[in-house]
């Protein structure tokens, strides 16, 4: 079974500062994908960033980057130059690789508040 | 980009009645769709996987006779909550798999309130 753990229920950061959200996971799979999703008050799930487990290079999308530590099964999200629009719930998610189905296993979420 | 649309976005129904929520892929064919449930301030929990033309696969603990899922076409999956009760009130989200890859698109979600 796959489990995803987010140990920070709530976090806050000053506007323009940097914040890191933690995520650990447990799996026996060797091929998988990891994701960070953002859920603003509208509840729409928005993909922030994804990482293929076979890639050693950490994924980066503009102000968002990850620190993927495969051996430690850790997948943290760093948000640089935080903006008010970054205020949302953030979910870390796991998906099995090819042939394993495409369902997500979500963590419990981290509520991030960006303070003006 | 690809769009997944859910309807209705909000619905209120009386206890004991049934309500149907639709999930449509607007500009792509979705052979597989997923239904999730989210309680307030909680994570998304997978309810079932819906494959076009076949029976849905339900997660452990999800009553298949209560949550009827139909995936009759490549662009439409429906979730029917039968004999709804107040404890079924929740936010329901669908997602759809595009093509043979692992790109997934989420719908906007549907709020169900059973009174």
């Amino acid at each position: 079974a796959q489990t995803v753990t987010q140990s920070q229920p709530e976090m806050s950061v000053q506007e323009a500062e940097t914040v890191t959200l933690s995520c650990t996971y447990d799996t026996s799979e060797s091929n998988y994908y990891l994701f960070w999703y953002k859920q603003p008050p509208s509840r729409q799930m928005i993909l922030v960033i994804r990482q293929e487990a076979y890639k050693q290079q950490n994924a980066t999308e503009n102000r968002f980057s990850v620190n993927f530590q495969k051996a430690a099964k850790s997948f943290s999200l760093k948000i640089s130059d935080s903006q008010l629009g970054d205020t949302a719930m953030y979910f870390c998610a796991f998906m099995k690789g090819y042939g394993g189905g495409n369902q997500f296993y979500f963590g419990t979420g981290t509520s991030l508040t960006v303070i003006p | 980009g690809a769009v997944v649309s859910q309807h209705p976005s909000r619905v209120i129904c009386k206890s004991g009645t049934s309500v149907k929520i639709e999930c449509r892929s607007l500009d792509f064919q979705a052979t597989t769709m997923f239904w999730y449930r989210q309680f307030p301030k909680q994570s998304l929990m997978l309810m079932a996987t819906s494959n076009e033309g076949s029976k849905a696969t339900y997660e452990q603990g999800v009553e298949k006779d209560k949550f009827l899922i139909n995936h009759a076409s490549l662009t439409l999956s429906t979730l029917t909550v039968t004999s709804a009760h107040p404890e079924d009130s929740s936010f329901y989200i669908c997602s759809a798999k595009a093509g043979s890859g692992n790109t997934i698109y989420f719908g906007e979600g549907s709020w169900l309130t059973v009174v």
Side-chain angles (χ1 to χ4, degrees):
Chain A
Q2 280 61 233
T3 59
V4 179
T5 302
Q6 293 179 248
S7 59
Q8 305 152 314
E10 296 182 353
M11 293 192 71
S12 61
V13 62
Q14 289 291 139
E15 192 175 7
E17 295 296 308
T18 296
V19 64
T20 299
L21 279 57
S22 301
C23 173
T24 59
Y25 60 95
D26 191 22
T27 184
S28 58
E29 303 285 327
S30 57
N31 184 24
Y32 53 88
Y33 304 90
L34 296 165
F35 304 80
W36 278 97
Y37 274 90
K38 169 184 177 181
Q39 189 181 45
S42 68
R43 292 287 186 131
Q44 174 72 56
M45 296 292 284
I46 301 168
L47 177 64
V48 175
I49 200 166
R50 60 176 278 168
Q51 173 85 41
E52 289 87 349
Y54 65 85
K55 290 186 177 179
Q56 293 185 334
Q57 187 173 7
N58 290 323
T60 299
E61 287 289 343
N62 299 315
R63 299 183 294 109
F64 300 89
S65 62
V66 299
N67 183 4
F68 175 46
Q69 301 290 327
K70 191 172 184 178
K73 295 181 179 174
S74 171
F75 183 62
S76 60
L77 173 70
K78 185 172 80 172
I79 305 174
S80 304
D81 185 26
S82 297
Q83 300 176 0
L84 296 179
D86 295 334
T87 292
M89 280 290 289
Y90 287 81
F91 292 101
C92 179
F94 173 100
M95 179 190 289
K96 293 181 184 178
Y98 181 79
N102 294 101
Q103 57 267 59
F104 286 106
Y105 299 89
F106 287 97
T108 51
T110 296
S111 177
L112 176 68
T113 301
V114 180
I115 302 168
Chain B
V3 176
V4 174
S5 178
Q6 275 185 247
H7 178 80
S9 58
R10 291 181 179 272
V11 58
I12 300 173
C13 71
K14 291 185 177 181
S15 186
T17 63
S18 296
V19 60
K20 180 184 290 186
I21 300 171
E22 294 185 345
C23 177
R24 293 182 183 274
S25 56
L26 297 185
D27 52 1
F28 66 96
Q29 294 184 331
T31 55
T32 305
M33 291 184 172
F34 305 89
W35 286 95
Y36 294 84
R37 182 175 183 176
Q38 186 179 28
F39 289 108
K41 297 186 178 181
Q42 294 190 25
S43 187
L44 283 73
M45 298 301 296
L46 179 67
M47 298 175 66
T49 301
S50 168
N51 292 298
E52 187 267 337
S54 64
K55 290 184 178 180
T57 302
Y58 290 82
E59 295 298 301
Q60 190 173 7
V62 178
E63 298 176 62
K64 61 181 180 181
D65 294 331
K66 180 170 186 60
F67 298 99
L68 300 178
I69 292 173
N70 184 280
H71 194 160
S73 77
L74 286 171
T75 59
L76 174 65
S77 176
T78 60
L79 167 67
T80 301
V81 182
T82 63
S83 187
H85 290 281
E87 56 265 33
D88 298 326
S89 298
S90 187
F91 187 66
Y92 294 87
I93 309 178
C94 72
S95 66
K97 172 174 174 275
S100 59
N102 54 33
T103 302
I104 304 293
Y105 299 96
F106 281 91
E108 316 98 316
S110 299
W111 281 104
L112 170 63
T113 302
V114 184
V115 297

